[in-house]
Amino acid sequence: MNPTLHDVARVAGVSIKTVSNVVHNHPHVRPTTRERVLAAIGQLGYQPNLSARGLRSGKTGVIGLAIPSVREAYFAELADSIIVAAEKRGLGVVVDQTNGVRSSELDVIAGRRLRLTDGIVFSPVHIGEQDAELLNAQFPLVLLGESVFGGPTDHVTMHNVSSAQAAVQHLLEIGRRRIALIGADDSGETASVGSAALRVRGYRQALALAGIAYEPALVRAAGGWHYDTGAAATRALVASGTAFDALFALNDTLAIGALRALDEAGVRVPDDAAVIGFDNIDATRFTIPSLSSVDPGREIIAEVAVEMLVERIAEKGTPMPPRRIKPDFRIVRRESTGFAHVADAVRQDAASAARVL
């Protein structure tokens, strides 16, 4: 049988209450007594019954993370960062994949998924501003991404417009003028929010500031943001005969697909066309050439989101007003835009690590 509090108390020669105080890390325990109890715990291999503790406290010590896909590199790395941030706070994480399906996302905010958790970090795709009232969840909730602004819940998002603008400015600074873009939203100009629409807006703003006319032939939709769609969009761009000397991909997996297609077409990177992506996923350091990218502050996003959720879980009385935070971003210059593989990253937004708006 598994050892109990009674067993630990007997071996340590203390009361059950003292063992409980040590297990819960209460401060008012003599150091010598604490050492004796910990030695007994180690000797017996005692482990606290977290389920029973959760029933007594109303907390499970586990948070949920709902993301569109664990196959997408950015979300896989985001999940890893969330888990690391949670473990620092003694929390476990259950990851749920919604596949970007609206009905599944609605189930998340209705509490029909990730039930046995103390709160949820949620990155939706199809929950929009029209759904803001649905976000009045009966549990702590922190939102990630660009789908809902001005909603009733805490929100950690990115500088999508300004960071995309900085990516294009980086291409302009190295002398490129015919800058293609892949990954635009299939809905075209009708989209006003979401990562694609916001990053296209940043692209257009950079061109306008440089006095370069927007050219629709240089902008390509790609459906999902995957390696194969990035390659397909780039092949179509090359086949169209539209001249370009740089390419901005709206995420890194698109950009890696683009590198493959450009190599197949005999387009040298960066000599003939410079390439920059977005997300700074781990693979960008290992492509040939290594891929320049926008680092949107993923680790800070994870850290801030978990901290905000922990605060909401512990909150009593009148809740704080909803908060919106945008961590800083940086442009990581690598070989695909003509910089040495070990070049330092250039911080484009030099404000504090996390900005509350």
Side-chain angles (χ1 to χ4, degrees), residues 181 183-191 193-194 196-197 200 219-223 225 250:
L181 178 147
D185 197 296
D186 288 324
S187 58
E189 299 298 316
T190 62
V193 296
V200 170
V219 176
R220 298 278 164 165
W225 287 0
L250 297 191

Side-chain angles (χ1 to χ4, degrees), residues 190-308:
T190 62
S192 59
V193 296
S195 299
L198 295 172
R199 293 174 195 178
V200 170
R201 188 185 307 170
Y203 164 82
R204 297 189 65 163
Q205 286 181 183
L207 294 179
L209 287 171
I212 297 173
Y214 172 73
E215 190 172 333
L218 286 169
V219 176
R220 298 278 164 165
W225 287 0
H226 307 299
Y227 300 115
D228 54 348
T229 55
T234 305
R235 290 184 188 113
L237 175 67
V238 172
S240 73
T242 304
F244 64 97
D245 58 12
L247 187 150
F248 173 36
L250 297 191
N251 84 341
D252 287 336
T253 50
L254 288 169
I256 293 171
L259 288 177
R260 174 71 183 193
L262 292 172
D263 183 69
E264 291 171 350
V267 177
R268 297 170 300 162
V269 177
D271 303 61
D272 302 326
V275 178
I276 190 168
F278 196 112
D279 285 337
N280 197 35
I281 63 174
D282 287 344
T284 56
R285 297 182 292 122
F286 299 99
T287 57
I288 300 176
S290 57
L291 180 64
S292 295
S293 185
V294 177
D295 180 350
R298 181 186 65 250
E299 291 184 359
I300 298 174
I301 288 170
E303 187 74 24
V304 170
V306 171
E307 182 60 28
M308 293 171 81

Side-chain angles (χ1 to χ4, degrees), residues 24-314:
H24 290 87
N25 202 29
H26 289 178
H28 304 299
V29 179
R30 291 179 182 176
T32 54
T33 302
R34 186 183 300 277
E35 288 176 9
R36 197 159 70 248
V37 171
L38 291 174
I41 288 173
Q43 176 185 334
L44 295 171
Y46 168 76
Q47 293 187 357
N49 186 330
L50 298 180
S51 297
R53 184 190 299 179
L55 289 172
R56 290 192 298 270
S57 67
K59 301 289 190 298
T60 65
V62 175
I63 63 172
L65 171 64
I67 54 177
S69 173
V70 296
R71 288 191 63 190
E72 293 185 29
Y74 173 77
F75 288 113
E77 293 179 21
L78 174 67
D80 178 73
S81 297
I82 291 281
I83 290 168
V84 169
E87 286 180 342
K88 289 180 187 175
R89 296 161 175 84
L91 298 171
V93 180
V94 176
V95 179
D96 183 32
Q97 177 172 278
T98 64
N99 293 307
V101 175
R102 177 172 166 80
S103 60
S104 297
E105 294 181 349
L106 291 173
D107 283 344
V108 170
I109 58 179
R112 291 189 287 268
R113 299 167 77 105
L114 296 168
R115 289 190 182 96
L116 300 178
T117 58
D118 297 331
I120 297 174
V121 177
F122 179 31
S123 180
V125 175
H126 294 296
I127 301 295
E129 292 183 16
Q130 72 278 6
D131 302 308
E133 64 180 32
L134 300 177
L135 294 169
N136 284 303
Q138 300 303 306
F139 52 85
L141 177 68
V142 173
L143 202 66
L144 303 180
E146 294 69 48
S147 293
V148 181
F149 291 100
T153 187
D154 291 334
H155 189 181
V156 187
T157 185
M158 301 177 184
H159 290 280
N160 272 293
V161 176
S162 55
S163 60
Q165 180 177 327
V168 177
Q169 286 172 337
H170 173 58
L171 296 172
L172 292 166
E173 287 166 1
I174 61 173
R176 309 307 165 105
R177 288 296 179 269
R178 295 193 56 78
I179 301 172
L181 178 147
I182 59 170
D185 197 296
D186 288 324
S187 58
E189 299 298 316
T190 62
S192 59
V193 296
S195 299
L198 295 172
R199 293 174 195 178
V200 170
R201 188 185 307 170
Y203 164 82
R204 297 189 65 163
Q205 286 181 183
L207 294 179
L209 287 171
I212 297 173
Y214 172 73
E215 190 172 333
L218 286 169
V219 176
R220 298 278 164 165
W225 287 0
H226 307 299
Y227 300 115
D228 54 348
T229 55
T234 305
R235 290 184 188 113
L237 175 67
V238 172
S240 73
T242 304
F244 64 97
D245 58 12
L247 187 150
F248 173 36
L250 297 191
N251 84 341
D252 287 336
T253 50
L254 288 169
I256 293 171
L259 288 177
R260 174 71 183 193
L262 292 172
D263 183 69
E264 291 171 350
V267 177
R268 297 170 300 162
V269 177
D271 303 61
D272 302 326
V275 178
I276 190 168
F278 196 112
D279 285 337
N280 197 35
I281 63 174
D282 287 344
T284 56
R285 297 182 292 122
F286 299 99
T287 57
I288 300 176
S290 57
L291 180 64
S292 295
S293 185
V294 177
D295 180 350
R298 181 186 65 250
E299 291 184 359
I300 298 174
I301 288 170
E303 187 74 24
V304 170
V306 171
E307 182 60 28
M308 293 171 81
L309 188 64
V310 168
E311 290 173 357
R312 291 298 184 185
I313 292 168

